[in-house]
Amino acid sequence: MEPSPLTQQARPETFQPKIVQLYEELFKDDVDAEGDKPEGFWREFFLLNPDRISLQRLLAHLGPDDVIALQSQTRQLFFRAVECLKRGGGVADLHALETLTTFFSTILPKKYTNPSSDIIAVLAGLDQVDAVFTDFVGALDAIIRNGKSMEIRQGAVEVVLSITSGAYQTGILTYFIQRDLFPAIMKFIQESDSSFRVLKPFTLLGLLANYNKFEFQNPYQLRLNDFVNEAAIQKIIKCVGNTCRGLRGQYIDILQDLPEGWSIANTLNMIGLGAIAPGARANQKPSYDPEEAKQMFAKLPGEDAAVLLGTYDFSHANKLFCFNLVTLPSDKGEEQPISSFLSLSSYLLQHAFLSTRTTNYAHLSLMVLRLLIEDQLLCKRICSDESKVAVRLCRQRQPLLPAVRGERILATSVLDTMIDGINHNLRRRLDVSLYTLCVGIMLRIISYLSRSRTRLQYHWSELFRSLLSLIRFLTTYAPDLKGLSHIDSLLDLVVNLLALSLSAGEAFLPTPADYDDLFYKVVESGEVLVKFRDTYQLANRPSNSIGTLVSVSTHYKAMLDSGGSKKNLTSTEVAEVIKQGYETLSIQAKEGLDGWERYREADERTLLKKMARATVADVQIIVQT
């Protein structure tokens, strides 16, 4: 009997998917690399489901020079994928989009010696790049606008995101500037069936609108200016609200900070007997020690915070967007979008000092709030009963502001957020820009209140205590702070805000007791104010009203010194002296204390470029997951 020609092969320990074999065959470095793969190879390549993890792993270990050496293979992949997109039909176009997203997100961010020219060489070559990219961008435009399903349209958005984030510092993006994708992206947003689908296209718009916008007239900026489709704007704002809520949830997962009412369980927990507390404990979040929690907080917010860049740009360019951001009501059972946005801002500000990235996003949220407050019609609404809304503010770090339950005027929540920003970021290397934004927003609100004579029920004593504590900090650490850029602007802002409150407090403080408390705090800080004035030589600069603060303090100090033999007066007796002193007090305040300069984007050029880079880094992570 002749032996069978069939031989039994050993069973492999693991089965390798066919598509992974094709990846390895395509990118292997051998002598046949220059030859084009046959038609059958590519037909099978795009018919099989992509294995994105395996492709990413295969490409990730390649260095920039390795990728350039494989340019024949990378060009073939790109050309064939573009042909699939142009041809459409079947599942090949969806598989091509998924493959390209993984390919671009892994290949483009590598540290090339000459990024623009090296990436062109890897993708198409100088002689073909114009023709191939024109076809490519045109195909993506058509799919985003009119693709056969939401899934494939979303896939095309993700491809553009992967290129935009991966090649942000190169000339490749000019192809997406020359071919305006704004109408297609907005059509996709308007037709999207969930808030989740809006996040990536809106994040993409933020990146495209920021690309070299200080170097040339960016067409996406012009489009944001002119956009009036309120339905699409409202979908975007709902997406922003939902995203902010999710990002805030990441902070709460680390430390639950909701003020709780009294209960037996809470009391037992306080005295260390939480184990015997009644009630279900199945859903209780884990508790972390302070150092571990700090390290976890430093990694937040999550990458979805990239949505804040687009939110800033739309707020800066479009008044209809700002109006809807402030006024859009909540869906049933949901928070109002502005409530979620302000809530996230408070969490960012309490933790801004932990990382440069968190600071960048805190700046972005503050810029949006500044733009809203500078619109006088919106400011009027924000300071009125029309704006009443419940806002969950961060309570994860001491000192805590008084907890306020239920709905209240939006301006009071904004002021609380600014106070938290001031109280929780005091460092010798002070972030002057962040403090200038916080104090500037306070000034704009108080300026409106005093001009309109709107008396706002609020814990004003906390605001004035915070400003005077800031002055005490600036005085104590003057040697470290004097050399900081733009510190003089911050000093003038703080002084003038207190001087405005002294001179116009009757117009916006709800009760005489609030006004008395302000004077009491200024008198109490008399010695610090004099030292502050002398340390920074404020008397030599006409741009501030330090003289107003010092003269008020001096006036009452003279009254207290001449009040008889009693040296140690109670706070009640001092308050009585303050009331008596109004009759002889003359506040010589500078003109224009309630004035402020409108926001100019060019002044924040350096900061905005930093923020764009931070957003790009986050989007690179988003497209890889």
Side-chain angles (χ1 to χ4, degrees):
M1 186 176 177
E2 294 182 8
S4 170
L6 301 176
T7 57
Q8 185 174 6
Q9 293 183 334
R11 186 183 182 89
E13 290 184 14
T14 57
F15 287 97
Q16 187 180 55
K18 177 65 175 176
I19 188 64
V20 178
Q21 293 177 25
L22 297 181
Y23 293 154
E24 292 178 353
E25 186 179 338
L26 176 61
F27 291 111
K28 67 184 176 185
D29 189 12
D30 63 13
V31 291
D32 297 325
E34 292 297 323
D36 285 354
K37 295 292 179 187
E39 188 67 33
F41 175 90
W42 293 110
R43 191 180 298 116
E44 186 177 24
F45 188 93
F46 290 115
L47 282 175
L48 293 169
N49 276 322
D51 186 332
R52 298 178 69 170
I53 294 174
S54 295
L55 180 58
Q56 188 178 46
R57 193 184 302 123
L58 184 68
L59 297 173
H61 83 275
L62 298 174
D65 293 337
D66 299 326
V67 175
I68 294 169
L70 291 169
Q71 62 184 249
S72 173
Q73 293 96 311
T74 55
R75 288 181 190 181
Q76 283 184 64
L77 173 58
F78 183 46
F79 292 169
R80 292 291 185 161
V82 173
E83 285 177 13
C84 270
L85 299 183
K86 288 163 62 180
R87 195 165 54 241
V91 294
D93 48 359
L94 177 59
H95 291 170
L97 290 170
E98 292 177 359
T99 302
L100 284 175
T101 299
T102 305
F103 175 70
F104 289 138
S105 66
T106 313
I107 290 294
L108 298 183
K110 293 183 185 293
K111 306 292 184 187
Y112 296 99
T113 307
N114 302 296
S116 287
S117 57
D118 287 349
I119 287 173
I120 287 173
V122 166
L123 295 182
L126 200 55
D127 53 338
Q128 296 189 73
V129 66
D130 284 342
V132 175
F133 258 88
T134 300
D135 287 350
F136 177 49
V137 179
L140 290 172
D141 188 3
I143 294 171
I144 295 170
R145 192 188 301 263
N146 295 312
K148 60 193 175 191
S149 69
M150 291 305 290
E151 184 184 11
I152 197 168
R153 294 168 76 182
Q154 179 94 21
V157 168
E158 290 174 5
V159 169
V160 185
L161 256 185
S162 65
I163 299 176
T164 307
S165 60
Y168 200 72
Q169 303 297 331
T170 73
I172 292 291
L173 259 64
T174 54
Y175 293 102
F176 295 94
I177 300 298
Q178 292 164 3
R179 177 76 177 241
D180 185 3
L181 296 182
F182 188 91
I185 294 171
M186 277 302 182
K187 184 171 184 285
F188 174 73
I189 287 173
Q190 194 170 358
E191 294 172 0
S192 63
D193 49 8
S194 71
S195 174
F196 168 76
R197 288 208 189 273
V198 175
L199 178 60
K200 286 181 179 176
F202 183 56
T203 302
L204 172 60
L205 276 182
L207 288 183
L208 290 173
N210 273 273
Y211 179 67
N212 284 350
K213 71 177 179 182
F214 294 108
E215 283 71 37
F216 65 85
Q217 197 170 43
N218 184 305
Y220 292 92
Q221 286 285 334
L222 300 176
R223 288 288 200 167
L224 290 175
N225 269 301
D226 299 336
F227 194 69
V228 292
N229 186 322
E230 201 160 12
I233 285 174
Q234 289 180 356
K235 278 198 169 186
I236 290 169
I237 289 171
K238 286 177 182 177
C239 166
V240 171
N242 289 338
T243 306
C244 289
R245 201 152 52 245
L247 292 165
R248 178 192 65 196
Q250 296 168 357
Y251 283 96
I252 296 168
D253 284 343
I254 297 172
L255 179 62
Q256 175 59 259
D257 62 342
L258 196 65
E260 298 177 0
W262 180 89
S263 71
I264 293 175
N266 291 345
T267 307
L268 289 170
N269 279 324
M270 285 175 63
I271 61 174
L273 298 174
I276 63 170
R281 306 178 62 80
N283 296 325
Q284 192 172 20
K285 291 187 171 79
S287 60
Y288 303 97
D289 67 70
E291 192 54 40
E292 187 181 5
K294 184 178 178 181
Q295 291 174 8
M296 295 171 75
F297 281 135
K299 296 174 182 175
L300 297 181
E303 290 78 24
D304 285 348
V307 76
L308 293 176
L309 185 64
T311 307
Y312 160 76
D313 273 293
F314 226 149
S315 300
H316 179 244
N318 193 296
K319 285 189 175 295
L320 185 60
F321 182 89
C322 292
F323 176 78
N324 277 278
L325 180 57
V326 171
T327 62
L328 189 66
S330 58
D331 289 335
K332 191 174 181 181
E334 299 283 355
E335 270 182 351
Q336 203 170 321
I338 188 63
S339 173
S340 302
F341 176 80
L342 185 56
S343 177
L344 175 64
S345 300
S346 79
Y347 281 82
L348 291 173
L349 279 168
Q350 277 209 13
H351 299 283
F353 69 97
L354 287 173
S355 73
T356 304
R357 181 174 164 276
T358 312
T359 302
N360 286 338
Y361 281 125
H363 271 102
L364 270 184
S365 62
L366 285 172
M367 286 173 165
V368 173
L369 291 170
R370 175 178 171 178
L371 289 164
L372 298 178
I373 297 296
E374 286 189 2
D375 184 319
Q376 288 301 283
L377 288 175
L378 288 181
C379 189
K380 179 181 179 182
R381 185 183 179 95
I382 288 168
C383 294
S384 74
D385 287 341
E386 283 181 282
S387 71
K388 278 194 171 181
V389 64
V391 180
R392 177 171 181 164
L393 297 176
C394 183
R395 299 177 64 79
Q396 293 181 327
R397 297 183 63 232
Q398 298 284 351
L400 299 177
L401 292 173
V404 181
R405 296 179 182 276
E407 295 184 346
R408 57 177 178 152
I409 292 171
L410 188 58
T412 61
S413 296
V414 176
L415 289 172
D416 272 1
T417 304
M418 298 308 106
I419 293 172
D420 272 345
I422 290 171
N423 290 348
H424 295 294
N425 294 283
L426 294 170
R427 297 289 179 277
R428 291 191 181 192
R429 294 293 301 168
L430 195 72
D431 188 336
V432 176
S433 176
L434 185 134
Y435 273 78
T436 302
L437 275 166
C438 287
V439 179
I441 289 168
M442 286 177 167
L443 172 66
R444 284 156 177 76
I445 291 175
I446 291 175
S447 169
Y448 169 78
L449 294 174
S450 65
R451 287 177 180 177
S452 62
R453 304 192 71 78
T454 303
R455 296 182 187 276
L456 190 67
Q457 289 293 334
Y458 181 63
H459 35 251
W460 288 104
S461 63
E462 298 291 342
L463 186 144
F464 299 131
R465 181 184 293 114
S466 177
L467 291 174
L468 288 163
S469 295
L470 177 58
I471 285 179
R472 194 170 293 111
F473 174 84
L474 292 167
T475 307
T476 304
Y477 296 101
D480 299 296
L481 302 171
K482 274 184 176 179
L484 296 180
S485 180
H486 303 300
I487 188 71
D488 289 346
S489 300
L490 175 60
L491 302 177
D492 291 348
L493 260 179
V494 177
V495 169
N496 291 344
L497 178 52
L498 282 167
L500 172 64
S501 301
L502 285 171
S503 61
E506 287 178 301
F508 67 87
L509 294 172
T511 65
D514 289 308
Y515 202 35
D516 296 344
D517 180 69
L518 170 58
F519 277 84
Y520 182 91
K521 283 181 168 56
V522 170
V523 172
E524 188 180 41
S525 303
E527 290 181 12
V528 174
L529 289 169
V530 171
K531 189 177 178 185
F532 177 62
R533 177 196 64 190
D534 297 342
T535 301
Y536 289 98
Q537 299 180 329
L538 297 179
N540 300 336
R541 286 213 317 272
S543 53
N544 67 75
S545 277
I546 189 66
T548 303
L549 305 186
V550 174
S551 65
V552 167
S553 173
T554 305
H555 171 79
Y556 281 106
K557 189 173 187 301
M559 284 188 67
L560 292 167
D561 289 346
S562 63
S565 58
K566 189 174 180 182
K567 290 186 178 180
N568 296 319
L569 300 176
T570 66
S571 58
T572 306
E573 290 169 328
V574 173
E576 194 58 40
V577 172
I578 285 171
K579 289 178 185 175
Q580 295 168 7
Y582 289 150
E583 297 172 10
T584 53
L585 176 65
S586 173
I587 298 179
Q588 301 296 323
K590 273 168 39 67
E591 289 291 321
L593 285 178
D594 58 353
W596 40 265
E597 292 184 5
R598 294 197 71 81
Y599 177 77
R600 288 193 331 132
E601 190 173 62
D603 294 341
E604 307 293 345
R605 175 176 179 156
T606 305
L607 196 60
L608 284 168
K609 286 192 170 187
K610 270 191 212 170
M611 292 172 185
R613 287 194 292 273
T615 304
V616 164
D618 279 341
V619 173
Q620 286 176 356
I621 296 171
I622 289 171
V623 294
Q624 286 177 3
T625 53

